[in-house]
Amino acid sequence: MKKISIILALLVAAITLVGLFASKFIDSAKFTSVQTSIDSGQGFSFFVISDPHYLSDELHDDKEAFQKFLSYGDKLVHYSGRLIDAVTAEIAREKTDFILVTGDLTCNGEMESHKELAEKFKRIENSGTAVFVVPGNHDVLNPRARQFFENTIWETDYITKDMFADIYGDFGYNEALSRDKRGLSYLAAPSDDVWLLMLDTAIYKDNIKKNNPEVNGILEDSTIEWIKQCSELAKENNAEIIAVMHHSLLDHSELVNLDYTIQNSLEILELFADCDIQIVFTGHIHLQDIKSTSIGDKTIHDIATSSLVVYPNQYGIVTYQPDEGYYYETNRVDMRQYAIDGRIKDKDLLLFEQFSINFFVAHCCESQNQCIAAMDRLTEDELSKVRDTVSKMNMRYFAGLRNEMINDLIDTEGYRIMETLPPCFIRDYINNMLNDEISDHNTYFIPVE
Ligand SMILES: [Fe+2]
């Protein structure tokens, strides 16, 4: 009898153990085995490219309809391919380990643009640098995908969520340790020590029904649960996680944050603090800006890299040194050198900086210019002085410069005229630039904790 009870007890214990093992196995079965190319203890570097907004040359000529489209925006969409090619040459020169692309890969989600961009990324991978992408609000199920010929704008094919994962399979999705079931988020491990949480914050499922692409972003409850599992797995493997997403986690401006910062940012900040996620690379706002905040004893940094197709046409370079931390800096794409190297006789490329400034001033300050034009108590001469000061300040703002880095522009006639005006958006906008947390958002250091 005693023998039977011992056997029974052993059997129960064995079943319990098998059960425990099975439940553990089922949990981790969602994750594929960890394969990295950078060994533990080894430093590495990567580029961060934001909002390249690539438009295929097959989808436009340079005639009336396209010129009109360009004039409504702030993006050098017609040079998006050239800019990516120039960065590709810089990647090959620097031999950076991998690149992160923080969404808005395409102009308006055109299938042709996505396919061609994937070809360009393939060339980057062929030169030895891995590419990891996430979608932005322009990329998936975008009913505004268009082509432009002569004086007519035509619809063109857009892509679905599954097509995105398929087209960019080699750039994150096929090599993921885990994919979130809901959207296009995934976990990747280029290094033993640092893993990438590539998050899909875009909201696209009802875009076609509404005939309007949703601009703002969110991380849904099911994705939050998946992030917790990713964090556990990373901790089990002694890896640290950095996050990458299109929308802002922190407000990058007190005035302009609606539709830019994800809807549930406070909840996600708490989540990141619990999961020890200290750094998030973002895009979307098209300006160079870094913000940080404390949650309990943790500090979380949101590094927004400005859009590749907007002045000053730059990208981020991050150097990671174990036991030290992350060094972030920006680098402006050298389009002039790219044109010289490729013997391209395009004067806009050979004088690219000035060309990009002219385009920025003419198009990017449109909303500010409208505000200035409404100041009917000013003379034409005064208006032009205000316009001049505001566009120069805005250029520096987009380039990541604040406070004393724009102080010289306070000493202008345009600024003095603005100070005499009653409270208005443009004055608040400028004051915001002059009272920021940091002065230069182009270099940043985050120590390891
Ligand atoms: Fe964008």
Side-chain angles (χ1 to χ4, degrees):
M1 191 62 190
K2 198 179 171 191
K3 208 172 172 184
I4 292 171
S5 24
I6 291 170
I7 290 169
L8 269 174
L10 282 172
L11 207 63
V12 169
I15 289 167
T16 313
L17 270 174
V18 168
L20 277 174
F21 177 76
S23 66
K24 182 72 191 159
F25 180 76
I26 286 163
D27 275 343
S28 23
K30 291 175 208 148
F31 298 90
T32 60
S33 62
V34 179
Q35 287 176 333
T36 64
S37 56
I38 303 163
D39 291 338
S40 182
Q42 214 181 306
F44 55 84
S45 70
F46 59 93
F47 282 19
V48 184
I49 298 172
S50 289
D51 299 72
H53 283 284
Y54 176 66
L55 179 68
S56 161
D57 284 340
E58 300 296 314
L59 297 175
H60 71 91
D61 54 20
D62 280 323
K63 300 197 175 147
E64 203 184 323
F66 186 62
Q67 290 304 327
K68 204 167 177 183
F69 168 73
L70 278 182
S71 72
Y72 289 145
D74 59 355
K75 303 184 278 286
L76 291 167
V77 169
H78 47 321
Y79 280 114
S80 53
R82 294 284 197 198
L83 280 158
I84 292 160
D85 291 346
V87 180
T88 302
E90 292 176 20
I91 288 167
R93 247 194 328 266
E94 291 294 316
K95 300 200 185 324
T96 190
D97 294 280
F98 56 90
I99 68 165
L100 308 176
V101 193
T102 64
D104 277 1
L105 308 177
T106 54
C107 181
N108 272 316
E110 316 80 22
M111 184 189 289
E112 188 61 32
S113 303
H114 278 298
K115 285 182 174 171
E116 283 183 17
L117 185 59
E119 289 297 317
K120 288 182 184 292
F121 288 160
K122 191 82 228 156
R123 285 200 279 281
I124 294 175
E125 291 216 331
N126 288 343
S127 76
T129 295
V131 179
F132 297 98
V133 304
V134 285
N137 52 299
H138 283 251
D139 292 323
V140 180
L141 291 172
N142 191 337
R144 298 229 179 115
R146 295 287 183 273
Q147 50 188 324
F148 311 83
F149 292 102
E150 300 288 345
N151 58 2
T152 310
I153 301 174
W154 311 81
E155 288 188 357
T156 187
D157 291 338
Y158 52 78
I159 63 163
T160 62
K161 181 188 95 169
D162 291 343
M163 288 158 96
F164 186 95
D166 190 41
I167 292 170
Y168 297 104
D170 287 343
F171 315 114
Y173 295 94
N174 292 347
E175 54 219 334
L177 286 182
S178 173
R179 276 193 59 188
D180 176 26
K181 285 201 192 82
R182 190 200 71 86
L184 288 161
S185 302
Y186 61 94
L187 179 68
S191 142
D192 276 349
D193 298 333
V194 181
W195 290 7
L196 305 171
L197 188 64
M198 306 295 293
L199 297 171
D200 172 11
T201 48
I203 304 169
Y204 36 75
K205 104 176 148 18
D206 296 327
N207 281 356
I208 304 303
K209 199 164 63 190
K210 290 197 277 189
N211 195 28
N212 194 27
E214 182 64 58
V215 179
N216 71 50
I218 195 166
L219 285 168
E220 304 275 4
D221 289 349
S222 61
T223 303
I224 290 171
E225 286 310 309
W226 171 80
I227 291 171
K228 287 178 188 166
Q229 291 179 29
C230 291
S231 162
E232 273 171 35
L233 188 80
K235 282 177 184 167
E236 281 166 24
N237 284 273
N238 295 318
E240 178 187 338
I241 283 182
I242 56 178
V244 179
M245 61 193 210
H246 183 61
H247 293 81
S248 314
L249 178 62
L250 295 169
D251 289 347
H252 286 280
S253 156
E254 283 168 27
L255 295 174
V256 189
N257 53 53
L258 187 70
D259 288 344
Y260 287 95
T261 307
I262 50 168
Q263 290 171 19
N264 52 344
S265 62
L266 291 178
E267 184 184 9
I268 302 304
L269 278 166
E270 295 283 350
L271 171 76
F272 279 13
D274 286 347
C275 294
D276 293 320
I277 300 171
Q278 202 190 345
I279 307 170
V280 56
F281 291 99
T282 61
H284 195 38
I285 51 171
H286 288 200
L287 62 88
Q288 185 66 39
D289 196 86
I290 302 170
K291 290 281 182 288
S292 63
T293 193
S294 295
I295 305 287
D297 59 346
K298 312 266 175 66
T299 305
I300 294 174
H301 312 264
D302 175 346
I303 302 179
T305 302
S306 55
S307 167
L308 186 68
V309 282
V310 176
Y311 175 83
N313 309 97
Q314 61 189 18
Y315 54 86
I317 303 178
V318 183
T319 310
Y320 170 76
Q321 290 293 351
D323 306 323
E324 288 181 35
Y326 298 83
Y327 295 87
Y328 174 91
E329 60 182 333
T330 58
N331 189 45
R332 296 182 180 189
V333 186
D334 193 345
M335 290 302 280
R336 181 179 161 75
Q337 195 57 51
Y338 162 80
I340 292 168
D341 291 346
R343 298 174 193 279
I344 303 166
K345 290 186 178 61
D346 175 339
K347 87 170 177 356
D348 292 340
L349 286 182
L350 289 163
L351 301 167
F352 189 75
E353 191 181 356
Q354 194 54 52
F355 169 73
S356 185
I357 288 171
N358 293 348
F359 191 89
F360 181 89
V361 171
H363 303 287
C364 186
C365 305
E366 193 52 40
S367 56
Q368 286 91 340
N369 285 344
Q370 278 171 14
C371 181
I372 294 164
M375 298 168 179
D376 49 12
R377 46 181 269 206
L378 301 183
T379 65
E380 237 346 282
D381 181 50
E382 287 171 327
L383 280 174
S384 120
K385 283 177 176 147
V386 170
R387 221 175 277 130
D388 186 55
T389 299
V390 169
S391 56
K392 282 181 179 145
M393 284 188 154
N394 216 15
M395 266 172 53
R396 305 245 194 115
Y397 183 53
F398 269 66
L401 305 175
R402 319 273 187 272
N403 308 342
E404 69 268 17
M405 310 294 280
I406 48 176
N407 259 357
D408 56 311
L409 293 165
I410 291 176
D411 197 22
T412 58
E413 195 59 24
Y415 187 83
R416 279 190 282 277
I417 296 165
M418 246 189 312
E419 274 198 310
T420 66
L421 297 172
C424 61
F425 170 76
I426 203 81
R427 266 185 57 178
D428 293 344
Y429 185 75
I430 299 294
N431 283 333
N432 202 36
M433 293 180 201
L434 292 165
N435 298 298
D436 201 51
E437 286 165 24
I438 47 180
S439 301
D440 186 353
H441 294 246
N442 291 284
T443 56
Y444 202 62
F445 174 61
I446 302 168
V448 284
E449 287 188 336

